[in-house]
Amino acid sequence: MQYIWTIIWSFLLGLMISYVIPSMTGDVFHLELGLILGTIFSAFVILITALMPEGENQEDPSH
């Protein structure tokens, strides 16, 4: 389920970035750029979470 939300938010943020920045510079909106940014960002986040070691919780309940 976490990967589904990662993909959804990645595409939304990628589309937002590809809309806001060109609007500020006077350029036009390109849907393809937003989809590419979303794909790259979601693949990066999923790859990072897959490579991170699963460690024990570092909190000590006695403190």
Side-chain angles (χ1 to χ4, degrees):
M1 188 69 179
Q2 68 182 2
Y3 293 121
I4 294 172
W5 286 112
T6 299
I7 292 170
I8 290 171
W9 278 108
S10 297
F11 279 106
L12 287 175
L13 291 173
L15 289 170
M16 180 196 65
I17 289 170
S18 69
Y19 176 76
V20 170
I21 292 178
S23 293
M24 291 170 43
T25 61
D27 204 3
V28 295
F29 171 68
H30 294 287
L31 180 65
E32 297 85 15
L33 178 63
L35 296 176
I36 291 169
L37 284 173
T39 304
I40 291 171
F41 185 68
S42 61
F44 178 73
V45 169
I46 290 171
L47 179 69
I48 291 298
T49 56
L51 294 177
M52 290 178 70
E54 291 187 32
E56 295 181 16
N57 191 356
Q58 299 298 325
E59 294 180 19
D60 188 10
S62 65
H63 286 82

